[in-house]
Amino acid sequence: MGGTGVGVSGTGGHGTGANGTHRGGAVRRAGVPAVLLLLALALAAALVAGLALGPVRIPADRVLAIVLGRESTGPLASIVWDVRMPRVLLGAVVGAGLAVCGAVLQALVRNQLADPFLLGASSGASAGAVLVLVLGAGASFAGLSLPAAAFGGALAALVAVYALARRGGTMTTGRLILAGVAVQYVLSALTSLVVVLAAKADQVRSVMFWTLGGLGGARWNELALPAVALALGTGLLLTLARPLDLLLTGEEDARTLGLDTGRFRAAVFVLTSLVVGVLVAYSGSIGFVGLMAPHAARAVVGAGHRALLPVAALGGAVFLTLADLVARTAAAPEEIPVGVVTALIGGPFFLWMLRRSPRTEGVAG
């Protein structure tokens, strides 16, 4: 895996180097602002669609009039501002955060099949949140018990999966996936045990929210913490773009170039766990956003993280906003958990990636 022209191992390789250079790489870098602009416009359109569509359909021009303040009273304004706006904004924030964390985790383990869901971070965060919810501690510590427990669960799950996958000094794609699946099963069993032994009837629905994912509980007063976690986490990770690029060159090359890979991985694991924990505390476990969005972004702008992270963030925001729109309109008046929608899309995508990745044998430690 030496040199800067190496692809991310375990993905079949596309000639994409750690610094984002390959055939046509200069063209891709030059087109990054245009890609960001297109994605921003797509996100704006997705947000308007999310505000307009639902059990009560509101024409797009009325939505824009309400958002711009030209129509501030009436039932439609209440639906837009009090019901749909917090939900679509939370969806955009969560989608962006999961995509960014997915891109970073793929660099940390040097495998494009990694994401917060497949590596157990989302399941760990959900398990931590369910423990707090069922044990009745969620109202303490200024309402921070859920995010704190979700962070602890996400970090513990990531550490366990990484340790299991690297056992013996070599990490393979198969071992990484098996470790993630094993940890998810253990966490799922723990969550089920807590629900069976301790949950009351009125808590079961809340527990289902955490395990299947959903944005229906979004409220204005709950947007601040996820938004701050996204902004600070993405900002810090952007400052780490160069060391993340160095990891893609290989462990030995990264050390030769001055990167303390052990400390760096530990610090970034903590940071991504914190972001995932906060997001999952408000959205439940939503899978595959962190797998698909970075993969699509990498195909457009290359592997360099300074361009990859913002493009993946916008792509993840668009995807989850549209997935939530499908979740609440496809079977109206019933609502499908958005985690089910992302799994129905992401599961086949994951299998397709696994099938087209012939070099899944080893990632040298």
Side-chain angles (χ1 to χ4, degrees):
M1 290 292 295
T4 58
V6 190
V8 181
S9 184
T11 62
H14 296 285
T16 302
N19 59 1
T21 58
H22 46 70
R23 290 186 300 270
V27 175
R28 290 188 180 189
R29 289 197 303 274
V32 169
V35 172
L36 291 172
L37 177 59
L38 289 174
L39 284 172
L41 293 174
L43 178 58
L47 293 174
V48 171
L51 295 174
L53 300 177
V56 177
R57 300 205 169 204
I58 306 173
D61 59 335
R62 295 286 297 278
V63 170
L64 293 176
I66 292 169
V67 172
L68 296 175
R70 294 198 293 265
E71 183 179 339
S72 57
T73 59
L76 295 185
S78 179
I79 291 173
V80 168
W81 282 112
D82 298 333
V83 179
R84 294 182 184 173
M85 184 69 80
R87 180 168 184 156
V88 298
L89 291 179
L90 180 62
V93 167
V94 171
L98 291 177
V100 168
C101 291
V104 170
L105 289 173
Q106 289 165 13
L108 291 182
V109 301
R110 291 168 49 218
N111 195 302
Q112 290 183 20
L113 296 178
D115 93 323
F117 183 77
L118 294 173
L119 294 187
S122 295
S123 299
S126 290
V130 168
L131 283 172
V132 170
L133 180 72
V134 172
L135 296 178
S140 61
F141 302 109
L144 296 179
S145 292
L146 278 177
F151 161 64
L155 180 60
L158 277 177
V159 170
V161 170
Y162 187 71
L164 288 170
R166 282 189 63 87
R167 188 175 178 85
T170 299
M171 180 166 58
T172 67
T173 296
R175 183 177 291 173
L176 181 68
I177 295 171
L178 289 175
V181 170
V183 169
Q184 285 189 62
Y185 272 122
V186 171
L187 292 171
S188 177
L190 174 63
T191 302
S192 299
L193 180 64
V194 170
V195 172
V196 169
L197 296 181
K200 301 175 183 177
D202 59 348
Q203 293 175 326
V204 173
R205 185 173 180 84
S206 296
V207 170
M208 289 296 291
F209 163 79
W210 294 112
T211 55
L212 297 178
L215 304 172
R219 300 292 182 270
W220 279 110
N221 61 354
E222 297 177 346
L223 285 177
L225 190 56
V228 169
L230 171 65
L232 293 181
T234 303
L236 288 172
L237 291 169
L238 277 172
T239 67
L240 302 175
R242 185 175 181 276
L244 286 170
D245 291 346
L246 289 179
L247 278 181
L248 301 185
T249 68
E251 199 84 8
E252 293 301 323
D253 287 349
R255 290 198 190 105
T256 301
L257 293 170
L259 180 64
D260 186 336
T261 56
R263 286 188 178 182
F264 179 73
R265 275 200 176 95
V268 178
F269 267 134
V270 171
L271 178 57
T272 54
S273 298
L274 179 59
V275 175
V276 170
V278 170
L279 298 178
V280 171
Y282 292 96
S283 69
S285 180
I286 299 174
F288 298 103
V289 179
L291 172 69
M292 293 184 288
H295 183 76
R298 196 176 288 109
V300 175
V301 298
H305 286 83
R306 191 169 299 279
L308 175 65
L309 294 184
V311 171
L314 285 174
V318 172
F319 172 72
L320 191 56
T321 301
L322 294 177
D324 183 57
L325 179 60
V326 171
R328 58 189 174 88
T329 58
E334 297 299 322
E335 185 172 312
I336 304 170
V338 69
V340 173
V341 175
T342 61
L344 288 173
I345 301 170
F349 182 85
F350 173 73
L351 294 175
W352 170 75
M353 284 191 66
L354 193 61
R355 179 182 176 85
R356 69 187 290 271
S357 301
R359 290 190 291 174
T360 57
E361 294 79 18
V363 178

